[in-house]
Amino acid sequence: MPLLRQMILEFAEFEKLAVSITEERLVRDGFGERPRFRALILEWEGKPAGHALYFPFYSSFEGEGIFLEDLYVREAFRGKGIGKAVMAEMARIAVREGVWALCWEVLDWNEPAIDFYRHLGASFMEDRKAVRLDGDALQKMAESGLPSR
Amino acid sequence: MPLLRQMILEFAEFEKLAVSITEERLVRDGFGERPRFRALILEWEGKPAGHALYFPFYSSFEGEGIFLEDLYVREAFRGKGIGKAVMAEMARIAVREGVWALCWEVLDWNEPAIDFYRHLGASFMEDRKAVRLDGDALQKMAESGLPSR
């Protein structure tokens, strides 16, 4: 888990996003009573080369799917086909578990990633916006009143 | 569950999207050994007015969150504040369960929904694209070879 967290921190730096996750929470959430995610540690000649992290999602229209939250290959290990091997492995997991889709998100400035996914035959859901309520806005919403009836 | 499925079908018609889910799968996935989702049936004066369907997601950067897959209010029951009451209830569930965020998606042509979420203080992650591998593309990826080493 220290290694997984280290690679999560590297990935967040690459994506220019904040991280609050601790090793203790990753241990609890990955190996506790109700595991919240699964992860693959990628290796190249015995060295840790990146990670994949995923969890089940549910579409009310289509049923169970797998959401690939992270796919990270360390810089020194790029261009070796590792990303493609991981996507193939994730697709095998999805097919083996009988789910209808493998879904994920990509940042719109990450053109190499977008090209990579396009070449794999992935579809881009261009008509969807991701929305989030967190921090003070979530707290305020939770405290807002019920309607009059 | 027949009622939930009926409202899922209505919602899909509104969103112009296909549905393959059956009542049997909803029963298994909602009430089986490993429940995949939870749902709220919305009522107005004792009548079924819509539904919300949600499941846990996991951010490797921030930890456990709740993903709101469906929020549907039947046409005859719109404009009564039901949507806002549901979002407040979902925010209370998120706060009670100690998760960091409530996330969802909205279709970019659904302007009333986008305005509604904006007024609640939600953030739009404009720099993300949703990506999917399913059907033949998923099968083909699963069958693709491993790299040479």
Side-chain angles (χ1 to χ4, degrees), chain A residues 13 30 35-37 53 62-63 82 85 88 92 106 122 134 147:
Chain A
E13 195 179 342
R36 292 309 197 178
F37 65 85
L53 188 147
E62 303 283 355
I82 297 177
R92 281 189 287 274
V106 64
D134 62 353

Side-chain angles (χ1 to χ4, degrees), chain B residues 44-112:
Chain B
W44 183 266
E45 295 177 339
K47 296 194 193 81
H51 75 281
L53 188 145
Y54 58 103
F55 56 80
F57 76 91
Y58 200 81
S59 159
S60 55
F61 300 166
E62 303 283 355
E64 262 191 89
I66 290 177
F67 192 90
L68 178 60
E69 175 72 12
D70 289 359
L71 169 52
Y72 175 64
V73 178
R74 287 177 145 172
E75 197 165 0
F77 298 92
R78 292 181 199 157
K80 298 179 187 299
I82 297 176
K84 198 170 174 198
V86 178
M87 291 305 292
E89 178 62 17
M90 289 305 307
R92 279 188 290 273
I93 293 170
V95 168
R96 194 168 65 223
E97 300 191 359
V99 307
W100 73 285
L102 178 64
C103 290
W104 64 97
E105 284 180 347
V106 63
L107 293 172
D108 64 359
W109 51 259
N110 193 348
E111 284 173 30

Side-chain angles (χ1 to χ4, degrees), chain B residues 35-49:
Chain B
R36 293 310 198 179
F37 66 83
R38 288 180 281 172
L40 305 176
I41 300 289
L42 317 180
E43 288 190 350
W44 183 266
E45 295 177 339
K47 296 194 193 81

Side-chain angles (χ1 to χ4, degrees), chain A residues 8-9 11-13 15 17-21 25-26 28-30 34 36-37 44-45 51 53 55-64 69-70 80-85 87-92 94-95 97 99-109 114 117-118 120-135 137-139 141-147 149, chain B residues 8-9 11-13 15 17-21 25-26 28-30 34 36-37 44-45 51 53 55-64 69-70 80-85 87-92 94-95 97 99-109 114 117-118 120-135 137-139 141-147 149:
Chain A
I8 288 171
L9 294 178
F11 185 42
E13 195 179 342
E15 289 208 321
L17 292 169
V19 178
S20 70
I21 205 81
R25 283 171 63 203
L26 284 171
R28 179 196 69 189
D29 298 341
R34 287 185 311 170
R36 292 309 197 178
F37 65 85
W44 183 267
E45 295 177 341
H51 74 282
L53 188 147
F55 55 81
F57 76 90
Y58 200 82
S59 159
S60 56
F61 299 168
E62 303 283 355
E64 263 191 89
E69 175 71 11
D70 290 357
K80 297 178 188 300
I82 297 177
K84 197 171 173 195
M87 291 304 293
E89 178 63 18
M90 289 303 310
R92 281 189 287 274
V95 168
E97 300 191 0
V99 306
W100 74 285
L102 178 64
C103 291
W104 64 97
E105 284 180 345
V106 64
L107 293 171
D108 64 0
W109 51 259
I114 292 169
Y117 296 138
R118 204 181 306 276
L120 300 184
S123 316
F124 292 80
M125 315 282 104
E126 303 283 3
D127 62 346
R128 299 188 182 206
K129 286 174 186 289
V131 198
R132 178 193 293 171
L133 204 54
D134 62 353
L138 180 65
Q139 197 64 45
M141 193 72 220
E143 287 162 8
S144 69
L146 291 164
R149 55 186 304 164
Chain B
I8 288 171
L9 293 178
F11 186 41
E13 194 179 343
E15 290 209 319
L17 293 168
V19 178
S20 71
I21 205 79
R25 284 172 63 206
L26 285 171
R28 179 196 70 188
D29 297 341
R34 288 183 312 169
R36 293 310 198 179
F37 66 83
W44 183 266
E45 295 177 339
H51 75 281
L53 188 145
F55 56 80
F57 76 91
Y58 200 81
S59 159
S60 55
F61 300 166
E62 303 283 355
E64 262 191 89
E69 175 72 12
D70 289 359
K80 298 179 187 299
I82 297 176
K84 198 170 174 198
M87 291 305 292
E89 178 62 17
M90 289 305 307
R92 279 188 290 273
V95 168
E97 300 191 359
V99 307
W100 73 285
L102 178 64
C103 290
W104 64 97
E105 284 180 347
V106 63
L107 293 172
D108 64 359
W109 51 259
I114 292 170
Y117 295 137
R118 205 182 303 277
L120 300 184
S123 316
F124 293 80
M125 316 281 103
E126 302 283 2
D127 63 346
R128 300 188 180 206
K129 285 174 185 291
V131 198
R132 179 192 292 170
L133 205 54
D134 62 354
L138 180 65
Q139 197 63 46
M141 192 74 220
E143 287 162 9
S144 69
L146 290 165
R149 55 187 306 166

